[in-house]
Amino acid sequence: MTTCTIAIVGGGTAGLSLATRLCELGIRDVVVLEREPEAGGVPRHCGHYPFGVREYKRLMKGPDYAARNVATARAAGVDIRTGTTVTALHPNARLSLATPEGLTELQAQRVVLCTGVRESSRAQRFLSGQRPLGILSTGALQSMVFLHHKRPFKRPVILGSELVSFSAIMTCGHMGIKPAAMIEENPEIFVRKFMRPFPAIKGIPLHTGVRDLRILGGKTVEAVTFTDASGQARHIDTDGVIVSGRFRPESALLHASHLRVDPATGGPEIDQFGRASDPAYFCTGNLLRPVETSSWCWHEAAETAARLVDDLANPIGDAPQIRLQAADPAIRFALPQRFTRTDRSGGMEHMQIRLNKPASGYLSLTQSDKTLWSDYLGSRPERRIFAPLSPLASTADTATVKVKLL
Amino acid sequence: MHSHFSDPFDVAIIGTGVVGCAMARRFTLDGARVVILEKAADVLDGASKANSAILHTGFDAPPGSLEQACIAAGYREYLDIHESLGLPLLKTGAMVLAWDADQLAQLDGLIAKAHKNGVMDVTLLTREQVLEREPHLADHVMGGFAVPGEYLIDPWASAHAYILQAMANGAELRRDCELLSGSFGNGHWTLETAQGTVQAKQVINCAGLYGDVVDQRLLGHADFQIKPRKGQFVVFDKPASELAQAVILPVPTKTTKGVVLFRTIFGNLAVGPTAEEQQSRTDASTDRDTLQDLRAKGIEMLPELANYEVTTVYAGLRPATEFQDYQISAHADQNYISVSGIRSTGLSAALGIARHVAGLNTSTGFARAPLTNPVCPPPDRLSNYHPRDWQEPNNGGIICHCELVTKREILAALEGPLPPRTLQGLKRRTRVCMGRCQGFYCTGPLSELTAGYLTPPLAEDCQ
Ligand SMILES: Cc1cc2nc3c(=O)[nH]c(=O)nc-3n(C[C@H](O)[C@H](O)[C@H](O)COP(=O)(O)OP(=O)(O)OC[C@H]3O[C@@H](n4cnc5c(N)ncnc54)[C@H](O)[C@@H]3O)c2cc1C
Ligand SMILES: Cc1cc2nc3c(=O)[nH]c(=O)nc-3n(C[C@H](O)[C@H](O)[C@H](O)COP(=O)(O)OP(=O)(O)OC[C@H]3O[C@@H](n4cnc5c(N)ncnc54)[C@H](O)[C@@H]3O)c2cc1C
């Protein structure tokens, strides 16, 4: 068994940013374990703008940004091991690895999980219909187009209307693929207002509020059928379906481990320092929740570096914790899920909250019927929402804090 | 080389579902020169592509039925040969559970039936004993009984191994080779197929969902009608498999064995199947409402399932008929045996069915004596409960991260003796794209690795 100071699982945006910053802060023996043949993560196959504006003060495409993150990490002294899959997490920062040379273990002082997010599959959405060839996530399409120069279809429909669904349109454009329609089951399109005319500009018919969606096809996709918002039955001939968005953290490792998972985010339960339920494990990047931008993950990971350095020098250990619970059907998730009562500073200052549907009211943090904080909120599911964690520092009670919308 | 006009095969088997595959093995081992005609591009493209993968003891089959006899014989033979064929076996046992007083009242009768079927080790369990064995079950369970001999197997690897063993010992497989018509004369059949004429002394119809169609094409009539019955499933994430050790069976109704909770040999936990009669012999669509129902049924029995994500969903079609029992009939005057209506137990019974049919065989003598030392194909290595290639060095790297499928495994499948010709076929042989991400991470690399091997291809090259 080999050893290192910090083992980082996943060499995407977050893992590389974190590793670089750790080296800059003077930590030695920082190892990034990446299962793909190349590090860089999801941006490797996002062959479009805008990446890197805040990080490098330059407008970059995803692959260039990923390469820049890798080069910066290498220059800082990070040991990046590609083709290395972490296959199991054990208590006290011990990892099982599958490497090109065979199976091995790695003992670290701290492990940081940075395994990112992916889109949920057609099966996970219980989409009705047949299962022919040609049903892909945006990520798989991007990988085919940008990393392998392949074209899986010519006239697909896009299911979903999140930001990534717009990336799908751009990815199609790159290969001369012409989407036949964009289809959303929700009554409204899922991006900020200024982006909404985009499908129309690209000449792609948009259908929102559709019901009874079905995929038809024998060997390959032949059509999708649905009932549109006006109640009319629709049939669109197509040769592919891009099943986009509805992100879920890539948490296979986590689910099979001793660490606690938050069913709401699908990611790990963490405290304000990013520590998982085993304090030898930290987590950052999009593994925490669905979903943030690359830039957000880059900065979030860099902030995590300082917390790790602090914890290595002076472990926080098992201090008492307050449970933070999203107790409202309108709230999709809230994170961190735990607040550790300690006088140590440097943790996250805000909770990150997302809604299930457009909602308004008073967002509040309550503990045993006592309101610790509240503020007016009118928001939508695609927006970031924050609530301050500082009111928790001043309560002596360790009872659960409920996040509610009243 | 065997298709020389004046040199008919001993046996032509129509169809490569699990039954046809087992049949090809049996007759080859018995010394016959066998040709197998399959209309699809790959084997296992019909009913056998999707089932619950339970190796049944036959404890609940109708006593005295042909089905019961074939299951019992098939079960015994699987246990005998699985090691030499490198096939996995997960000895989970099963429990039949009663969730209401009505069902509770039926348990004694079911146990008596099991005993009649020669399955002697079933034992009644109190509610407490059930919950002690399966602590994650919902506590409104009322009681049940254990069937220790119900096991889990790999539904595809087993059938692949049967036909690979047949092929390794001289049988000839023709895919994309639909049987269209035929005539019997001078002691042999002349069969017209999508790939020309084939002659054989004996025909065995193992066409599953098309059993009646093939009888009509060759005999001019069928004594039964295939009534496809669809079964949908929801498969949960691997960690959910810790929630149930045994296969959880309901008290069956007249028409179906009911919704089962079962682990898979690949390490998941699944719930299903439904039983839905339909016209189409090919449409294995899944439906959102049905899947949601199934998920809810699973959660009703195993409440913690609510916390686990779904990995995938699928559906299979049972080749049911208007009759309850298998429809196996020999037409001695025409050297023809129809092996049809192998409805919902064919995976378990296949080897037994093949033995039964070998006993019915009317043709006199095969080209060879029974093989004394038949060749075994290389073993299957896909079970989650057995060693896998990713644990070995020099495997070329892991391509499918969810199911830990290596490049070496994929290339071995693509270039092996029974190469898949479709992505579906590659999935059955390697498990690529079958995990929780359903191809999010590996479809890109796969589109490159499989280029030139699959029709239709995953994507067109735009270099
Ligand atoms: C399809 C898609 C498109 C996106 N498009 C954009 C966009 O256009 N703009 C934007 O800002 N954001 C986009 N995002 C959000 C994206 O998640 C972030 O940009 C960023 O990549 C998140 O960084 P991360 O490090 O958390 O995860 P990732 O970049 O996903 O990195 C995770 C890494 O962990 C590795 N890994 C996982 N498990 C293991 C294991 N067991 N062992 C070893 N390594 C492992 C993976 O191979 C991967 O390299 C997109 C996301 C997806 C899924
Ligand atoms: C939902 C479900 C759950 C089940 N669970 C279990 C279980 O747990 N345990 C168990 O033991 N069994 C189970 N079964 C039953 C089992 O799957 C079937 O009994 C078995 O697959 C039937 O196989 P078959 O070979 O008879 O038919 P098929 O698999 O349909 O094979 C017939 C083959 O013939 C080919 N064919 C058809 N027409 C022609 C033609 N004209 N020319 C050439 N080829 C032709 C087809 O392409 C096909 O490949 C289940 C079935 C279902 C649907």
Side-chain angles (χ1 to χ4, degrees):
Chain A
M1 180 161 47
T2 55
T3 61
C4 69
T5 312
I6 309 271
I8 297 171
V9 186
T13 302
L16 294 170
S17 159
L18 169 72
T20 304
R21 190 81 195 112
L22 283 170
C23 287
E24 288 168 359
L25 292 171
I27 307 292
R28 283 165 181 266
D29 257 346
V30 176
V31 176
V32 170
L33 306 162
E34 170 55 52
R35 64 190 182 183
E36 295 295 338
E38 278 174 56
V42 163
R44 282 177 65 222
H45 53 65
C46 297
H48 53 73
Y49 302 110
F51 285 87
V53 177
R54 282 178 67 209
E55 299 88 309
Y56 299 113
K57 315 290 176 247
R58 284 183 50 187
L59 184 62
M60 306 166 98
K61 286 188 178 175
D64 301 326
Y65 168 78
R68 177 81 175 257
N69 285 338
V70 173
T72 310
R74 286 235 165 83
V78 177
D79 176 3
I80 303 177
R81 300 186 194 162
T82 54
T84 302
T85 304
V86 177
T87 58
L89 313 176
H90 307 285
N92 303 317
R94 186 168 57 88
L95 302 175
S96 296
L97 312 181
T99 77
E101 292 77 43
L103 303 185
T104 174
E105 294 205 325
L106 178 64
Q107 176 68 62
Q109 292 178 36
R110 299 286 183 281
V111 172
V112 192
L113 304 179
C114 303
T115 51
V117 279
R118 57 176 163 75
E119 296 161 283
S120 58
S121 67
R122 175 261 166 100
Q124 283 167 335
R125 298 167 200 220
F126 285 172
L127 276 177
S128 300
Q130 292 166 311
R131 280 159 296 149
L133 196 68
I135 306 172
L136 295 178
S137 61
T138 315
L141 172 68
Q142 288 180 337
S143 165
M144 277 189 180
V145 167
F146 291 114
L147 298 179
H148 302 279
H149 312 285
K150 301 267 184 197
R151 178 166 55 197
F153 34 53
K154 294 192 172 132
R155 208 159 156 65
V157 299
I158 299 175
L159 298 188
S161 64
E162 301 175 36
L163 263 179
V164 69
S165 323
F166 290 75
S167 292
I169 297 179
M170 291 192 274
T171 306
C172 286
H174 189 82
M175 270 288 172
I177 302 168
K178 297 212 162 34
M182 186 178 234
I183 295 174
E184 171 61 64
E185 292 184 274
N186 286 314
E188 278 186 62
I189 186 167
F190 202 88
V191 290
R192 304 290 294 260
K193 274 217 175 70
F194 70 92
M195 295 202 59
R196 290 183 192 174
F198 189 70
I201 293 167
K202 290 276 171 184
I204 302 169
L206 172 69
H207 302 272
T208 55
V210 314
R211 290 174 289 121
D212 310 326
L213 191 58
R214 285 190 90 77
I215 298 174
L216 307 183
K219 286 192 170 131
T220 57
V221 175
E222 287 157 22
V224 298
T225 59
F226 56 89
T227 308
D228 72 13
S230 69
Q232 198 188 331
R234 296 271 193 164
H235 175 113
I236 299 181
D237 290 321
T238 180
D239 61 351
V241 179
I242 303 171
V243 180
S244 72
R246 304 227 189 141
F247 291 93
R248 290 303 275 173
E250 170 59 6
S251 53
L253 265 181
L254 203 64
H255 279 274
S257 78
H258 61 298
L259 302 176
R260 271 201 297 265
V261 177
D262 175 6
T265 57
E269 270 193 30
I270 55 161
D271 73 358
Q272 75 270 34
F273 301 102
R275 298 185 310 157
S277 53
D278 172 350
Y281 282 83
F282 282 64
C283 307
T284 190
N286 268 339
L287 171 65
L288 297 184
R289 95 256 94 195
V291 55
E292 270 297 350
T293 62
S294 198
S295 176
W296 177 280
C297 294
W298 194 94
H299 287 91
E300 189 173 52
E303 285 170 20
T304 305
R307 294 173 194 141
L308 266 164
V309 172
D310 219 23
D311 189 58
L312 271 178
N314 179 12
I316 302 167
D318 285 330
Q321 294 188 325
I322 300 173
R323 221 175 124 219
L324 309 177
Q325 188 186 37
D328 195 303
I331 296 175
R332 186 149 62 100
F333 64 76
L335 122 153
Q337 294 81 358
R338 293 183 181 259
F339 183 83
T340 302
R341 290 187 44 81
T342 156
D343 17 0
R344 177 139 0 175
S345 57
M348 302 169 192
E349 290 176 0
H350 293 96
M351 287 185 92
Q352 302 174 32
I353 297 165
R354 290 289 169 88
L355 298 180
N356 276 320
K357 50 179 197 265
S360 58
Y362 280 86
L363 182 68
S364 67
L365 306 182
T366 64
Q367 189 180 39
S368 320
D369 296 334
K370 196 165 67 202
T371 300
L372 302 181
W373 174 88
S374 119
D375 197 4
Y376 179 75
L377 175 83
S379 194
R380 305 176 44 84
E382 68 273 15
R383 305 250 180 106
R384 295 175 179 138
I385 300 167
F386 300 104
L389 284 167
S390 54
L392 304 183
S394 51
T395 159
D397 195 349
T398 54
T400 298
V401 165
K402 296 198 166 155
V403 187
K404 288 188 200 160
L405 197 62
L406 298 172
Chain B
M1 62 180 168
H2 288 308
S3 52
H4 192 267
F5 194 75
S6 60
D7 186 16
F9 288 93
D10 290 325
V11 179
I13 293 168
I14 316 300
T16 59
V18 65
V19 174
C21 291
M23 203 65 70
R25 171 179 173 274
R26 179 75 274 141
F27 277 84
T28 302
L29 298 187
D30 285 352
R33 218 157 55 70
V34 172
V35 64
I36 313 136
L37 310 177
E38 170 54 57
K39 86 173 163 180
D42 193 14
V43 302
L44 303 186
D45 197 49
S48 305
K49 95 171 120 188
N51 54 47
S52 321
I54 301 169
L55 183 68
H56 294 298
T57 55
F59 77 93
D60 59 348
S65 64
L66 181 57
E67 179 179 22
Q68 189 277 325
C70 289
I71 296 174
Y75 179 90
R76 274 196 305 276
E77 186 165 351
Y78 187 88
L79 295 194
D80 284 346
I81 67 169
H82 81 275
E83 268 171 18
S84 64
L85 288 181
L87 292 172
L89 181 69
L90 192 62
K91 297 191 168 183
T92 54
M95 262 194 236
V96 177
L97 297 183
W99 298 91
D100 61 37
D102 224 38
Q103 295 173 355
L104 196 63
Q106 292 181 52
L107 296 183
D108 285 333
L110 288 169
I111 291 176
K113 186 181 194 184
H115 290 165
K116 238 187 244 166
N117 285 332
V119 185
M120 306 310 290
D121 56 355
V122 296
T123 45
L124 194 68
L125 300 172
T126 63
R127 173 175 179 277
E128 287 67 33
Q129 286 167 324
V130 167
L131 287 170
E132 195 181 319
R133 290 176 179 219
E134 299 290 348
H136 301 281
L137 281 174
D139 55 13
H140 67 278
V141 65
M142 296 187 68
F145 63 89
V147 193
E150 298 271 302
Y151 298 147
L152 299 173
I153 62 175
D154 178 334
W156 304 303
S158 44
H160 287 150
Y162 305 157
I163 194 158
L164 278 167
Q165 192 177 28
M167 291 163 72
N169 290 286
E172 202 177 309
L173 169 66
R174 299 194 190 158
R175 292 186 274 178
D176 283 319
C177 190
E178 176 172 358
L179 172 105
L180 302 169
S181 64
S183 58
F184 182 73
N186 297 329
H188 69 258
W189 281 92
T190 302
L191 304 173
E192 298 306 329
T193 77
Q195 291 187 32
T197 307
V198 175
Q199 295 202 320
K201 294 181 202 155
Q202 168 98 32
V203 168
I204 304 176
N205 167 13
C206 302
L209 291 159
Y210 292 84
D212 52 353
V213 173
V214 167
D215 274 6
Q216 259 146 13
R217 285 183 186 176
L218 294 183
L219 300 177
H221 64 92
D223 300 335
F224 58 89
Q225 204 190 337
I226 294 290
K227 297 178 174 292
R229 191 178 300 162
K230 182 166 78 176
Q232 305 190 41
F233 296 88
V234 174
V235 182
F236 289 85
D237 235 1
K238 294 196 173 180
S241 66
E242 316 225 317
L243 298 179
Q245 292 312 302
V247 173
I248 307 296
L249 301 166
V251 170
T253 66
K254 275 228 153 42
T255 51
T256 149
K257 282 174 173 298
V259 171
V260 183
L261 267 172
F262 57 100
R263 287 199 273 156
T264 71
I265 196 101
F266 313 110
N268 296 83
L269 185 79
V271 56
T274 54
E276 306 163 56
E277 291 230 7
Q278 64 177 36
Q279 290 296 316
S280 170
R281 300 173 195 243
T282 54
D283 184 358
S285 286
T286 51
D287 305 289
R288 179 175 284 172
D289 295 344
T290 312
L291 297 171
Q292 272 161 353
D293 269 7
L294 272 178
R295 180 170 181 273
K297 280 210 175 90
I299 292 170
E300 210 178 291
M301 293 187 269
L302 217 50
E304 286 165 67
L305 256 190
N307 299 329
Y308 290 85
E309 288 183 23
V310 166
T311 293
T312 191
V313 303
Y314 67 94
L317 304 177
R318 303 171 186 87
T321 67
E322 65 271 46
F323 304 106
Q324 199 183 24
D325 207 350
Y326 292 171
Q327 296 301 298
I328 302 181
S329 54
H331 302 259
D333 51 336
Q334 296 184 80
N335 290 358
Y336 184 92
I337 304 177
S338 178
V339 184
S340 298
I342 314 300
R343 190 177 55 169
S344 54
T345 49
L347 179 63
S348 312
L351 296 167
I353 295 170
R355 274 195 187 275
H356 172 76
V357 170
L360 298 177
N361 176 43
T362 52
S363 101
T364 48
F366 293 141
R368 303 175 297 189
L371 309 192
T372 43
N373 208 357
V375 184
C376 282
D380 159 65
R381 302 267 313 233
L382 294 180
S383 158
N384 198 50
Y385 301 90
H386 296 78
R388 289 272 312 272
D389 194 48
W390 63 268
Q391 294 156 322
E392 307 286 338
N394 307 318
N395 55 36
I398 294 168
I399 302 293
C400 165
H401 297 296
C402 303
E403 296 297 307
L404 297 165
V405 184
T406 67
K407 185 170 175 182
R408 180 166 59 190
E409 284 175 309
I410 294 167
L411 291 177
L414 291 173
E415 305 204 321
L418 186 60
R421 291 176 176 167
T422 60
L423 178 62
Q424 286 295 333
L426 183 64
K427 288 176 165 187
R428 292 195 283 267
R429 284 170 184 74
T430 62
R431 295 204 51 75
V432 289
C433 298
M434 302 259 264
R436 67 199 319 262
C437 90
Q438 293 282 296
F440 176 89
Y441 293 108
C442 72
T443 314
L446 264 185
S447 67
E448 196 156 317
L449 260 182
T450 58
Y453 289 101
L454 307 180
T455 315
L458 265 59
E460 147 198 21
D461 204 359
C462 293
Q463 207 76 45

